[in-house]
Amino acid sequence: IAARRDAVRLISFSAALLVVLLAIAAYITRRIARPLNALSSTAHAIQIGNVSVRASVTGPSEIADLAAAFNAMVDARQQAEQLRESQADALRGAKLALDERIKELACLYDIFRLTEDDALSMRDLLQQAVERLPSAMCFPEAAAIHVDFEGQSIGSEQARDHSTSLVVEFGGSDGKRHRLTVAYLAPLPDGTTATFLPEERTLLEAI
């Protein structure tokens, strides 16, 4: 009877100890699994495009360190992406500016060649310059040119009378002042910050 009682006690103690160990194991598992699940959810959110989320730095020190390292990696990646986009924007801007300067130089060269043609009258030269100039502007499809020269009206009278225009005066052989006017007759694209570029005024003054 005593042996049976001892066996029952041993079994009861073992069962109680097993229950305690299982409870401890479940607690440890939850303490580790919860922050790992949260970290996994954060990683998935970032993967689908929500780059503003960050992992919660909680749980055991090893898990917290992992979450902190993950956040640092995401921050570094986001900064690198922003830098890449900024550099790409700067490159696009530089290419656009270069394209504009090439257009302006080509126009200046073509008009210079016209001035070397002694067979052209001044009116014909100005007429061809009026026809050539729009392609050198930032928005050539919308550009129109007008020249007032020695009482002659050459080109678009709409450009001459437009409320927003770029006007450059120049002198003729008679000492009188004449006028070259550029205007955009169609609406400009959204986001256009300036109607005319400083380089466009420089081009007209050079001509």
Side-chain angles (χ1 to χ4, degrees):
I1 296 175
R4 184 179 297 172
R5 187 180 298 114
D6 290 342
V8 170
R9 287 194 187 120
L10 181 59
I11 293 171
S12 299
F13 175 76
S14 298
L17 181 60
L18 179 61
V19 170
V20 171
L21 291 175
L22 289 174
I24 293 173
Y27 169 76
I28 293 174
T29 300
R30 284 197 303 271
R31 193 162 183 267
I32 294 174
R34 188 175 293 120
L36 283 177
N37 288 336
L39 182 59
S40 176
S41 298
T42 302
H44 178 68
I46 292 173
Q47 184 180 16
I48 62 177
N50 187 4
V51 295
S52 63
V53 298
R54 293 295 181 270
S56 178
V57 185
T58 58
S61 60
E62 294 82 0
I63 305 299
D65 290 344
L66 178 62
F70 177 83
N71 288 341
M73 179 188 69
V74 172
D75 289 339
R77 177 186 173 185
Q78 192 169 5
Q79 290 171 2
E81 183 68 18
Q82 290 172 347
L83 178 60
R84 185 190 66 80
E85 292 177 357
S86 176
Q87 290 174 337
D89 289 341
L91 183 60
R92 283 192 293 269
K95 182 181 182 303
L96 178 61
L98 178 60
D99 290 343
E100 291 301 313
R101 302 298 82 74
I102 290 173
K103 288 196 310 182
E104 292 161 5
L105 287 173
C107 176
L108 188 60
Y109 176 73
D110 288 345
I111 292 177
F112 173 75
R113 291 189 62 187
L114 290 175
T115 63
E116 294 186 317
D117 187 350
D118 295 333
L120 281 178
S121 67
M122 180 58 70
R123 180 178 178 83
D124 289 339
L125 188 153
L126 291 174
Q127 182 64 51
Q128 291 191 41
V130 163
E131 294 170 358
R132 178 64 179 84
L133 269 172
S135 62
M137 307 306 292
C138 189
F139 306 103
E141 298 82 3
I145 314 294
H146 182 269
V147 174
D148 281 317
F149 182 76
E150 296 182 349
Q152 302 178 71
S153 177
I154 304 170
S156 170
E157 294 187 359
Q158 284 183 283
R160 180 193 61 188
D161 300 331
H162 203 274
S163 58
T164 303
S165 60
L166 175 59
V167 178
V168 173
E169 292 188 345
F170 61 97
S173 58
D174 56 1
K176 295 181 180 179
R177 303 300 294 173
H178 310 290
R179 178 174 293 186
L180 170 63
T181 304
V182 181
Y184 288 123
L185 303 184
L188 300 184
D190 294 338
T192 301
T193 55
T195 305
F196 298 101
L197 302 176
E199 293 83 358
E200 292 173 335
R201 173 174 286 278
T202 301
L203 169 67
L204 298 185
E205 291 174 347
I207 293 173

